[in-house]
Amino acid sequence: MRLVILLSFLAALGFLSVETLVRCTDRYYLIGLVPALMVSGYALSLVKVRLNQPLPWLALLLYLTYSLFAGQDYMASNRARWLCLNRLEASGISFKEIDGGAEYNIVRGLDIYASHYRGAPPRDTWRWWPIRGEKYIVSFSTIPDYDLLFSQSYFSLMTMSEHKVFALKQVEKP
């Protein structure tokens, strides 16, 4: 059993290392959850912590609460982001002029992986994903040299407050 736990953990750790270093897609970190829980459970059994004690149940309750709140935040913020992106496209703006984040850029064409262009400085250091253009940006904050076109609100359980996603247009240089 120890060998299975160790091999599962090492395989998940290897996959996560590649995923983090190469693509940096954070939602795949969940792949390491089961092996990490297996290692944690095994470690707890070595130090004689029993599951009928309150500490493991409290930790589980905190983890479940955080997971629910974080999941809601992620889904609500992405819903708002995609509403902004769809509104931009519906107004006639080409996807080639929009930086809507990695998922958006990839959904609009896998050929984006052939590019290493990440935008003009200083914005090129803000992204890990390639873009086609950045005349329009959908962002969770305002950006210097960009005007606000419109915003989309969403409610986050993480902060128990409203947040906004911004659709921005690059300021025309004279």
Side-chain angles (χ1 to χ4, degrees):
M1 185 61 161
R2 288 183 214 169
L3 183 61
V4 169
I5 291 171
L6 180 63
L7 290 176
S8 296
F9 184 70
L10 291 176
L13 187 62
F15 178 79
L16 290 174
S17 297
V18 169
E19 189 63 36
T20 302
L21 295 172
V22 176
R23 297 200 46 213
C24 191
T25 312
D26 58 355
R27 66 179 162 267
Y28 293 110
Y29 294 166
L30 287 175
I31 292 170
L33 179 61
V34 171
L37 289 174
M38 290 169 57
V39 168
S40 299
Y42 181 69
L44 287 174
S45 73
L46 291 177
V47 294
K48 308 291 189 239
V49 172
R50 303 186 80 132
L51 290 179
N52 61 356
Q53 294 176 346
L55 182 61
W57 289 106
L58 179 61
L60 179 62
L61 180 64
L62 289 173
Y63 176 75
L64 290 174
T65 302
Y66 175 79
S67 295
L68 288 171
F69 283 30
Q72 182 277 335
D73 178 82
Y74 177 77
M75 299 300 280
S77 65
N78 269 294
R79 184 181 315 109
R81 183 169 63 104
W82 281 93
L83 285 170
C84 286
L85 290 163
N86 290 335
R87 187 171 164 187
L88 284 172
E89 285 187 352
S91 71
I93 297 167
S94 169
F95 71 91
K96 294 179 181 177
E97 297 181 296
I98 303 171
D99 174 19
E103 298 91 352
Y104 173 79
N105 296 344
I106 292 166
V107 164
R108 294 302 183 256
L110 288 175
D111 61 321
I112 193 76
Y113 279 123
S115 171
H116 295 288
Y117 178 67
R118 292 198 165 101
R123 293 176 303 280
D124 61 337
T125 61
W126 300 351
R127 304 178 178 99
W128 60 264
W129 61 89
I131 63 170
R132 291 178 183 85
E134 58 183 348
K135 184 175 182 180
Y136 298 89
I137 294 179
V138 173
S139 176
F140 291 99
S141 64
T142 57
I143 298 173
D145 299 325
Y146 279 79
D147 287 333
L148 175 66
L149 293 175
F150 57 87
S151 64
Q152 179 69 45
S153 295
Y154 69 95
F155 181 79
S156 170
L157 285 175
M158 291 292 284
T159 60
M160 293 295 179
S161 63
E162 289 277 326
H163 296 272
K164 290 185 178 186
V165 176
F166 302 99
L168 308 169
K169 180 180 180 184
Q170 194 169 32
V171 174
E172 300 289 332
K173 301 211 173 161

